[in-house]
Amino acid sequence: MQLQIDVSSVKSTIFLELLNVFKKDNMINDYRVIDHEKSAYDHEVLNDLSMLGDTLRDAKNGLGHRTSTTVTIQNV
């Protein structure tokens, strides 16, 4: 499972200490701090995700074409 939280810079030190406590107690496996800069890949992924709703609605309304491909997602 992945969780993304936006923390203000004022509270970031306290939050990082809390994450360290969770990691020491084996409540979380690991964490990483990422900056606000988004790469071209990030923009591409976010754009693709934003289109999922339209794609599902179109598929429900019979648009597109049916294939025999089945996707099974396990242990995500």
Side-chain angles (χ1 to χ4, degrees):
M1 180 171 71
Q2 183 178 1
L3 174 66
Q4 184 174 349
I5 300 173
D6 187 14
V7 180
S8 70
S9 59
V10 175
K11 299 176 185 173
S12 62
T13 304
I14 296 170
F15 188 73
L16 288 173
E17 289 298 322
L18 181 62
L19 286 175
N20 282 324
V21 169
F22 286 161
K23 187 173 180 181
K24 287 177 186 174
D25 289 341
N26 294 321
M27 294 175 73
I28 61 173
N29 294 330
D30 201 4
Y31 65 89
R32 66 183 172 127
V33 177
I34 56 175
D35 59 13
H36 291 285
E37 297 294 322
K38 292 186 178 107
S39 67
Y41 176 75
D42 293 335
H43 284 291
E44 183 180 341
V45 169
L46 291 172
N47 186 39
D48 289 347
L49 288 174
S50 70
M51 291 188 294
L52 274 177
D54 293 339
T55 302
L56 292 173
R57 186 180 60 248
D58 289 348
K60 185 177 179 181
N61 292 329
L63 299 176
H65 62 281
R66 184 176 298 270
T67 67
S68 61
T69 304
T70 302
V71 176
T72 305
I73 301 172
Q74 297 176 338
N75 299 327
V76 176

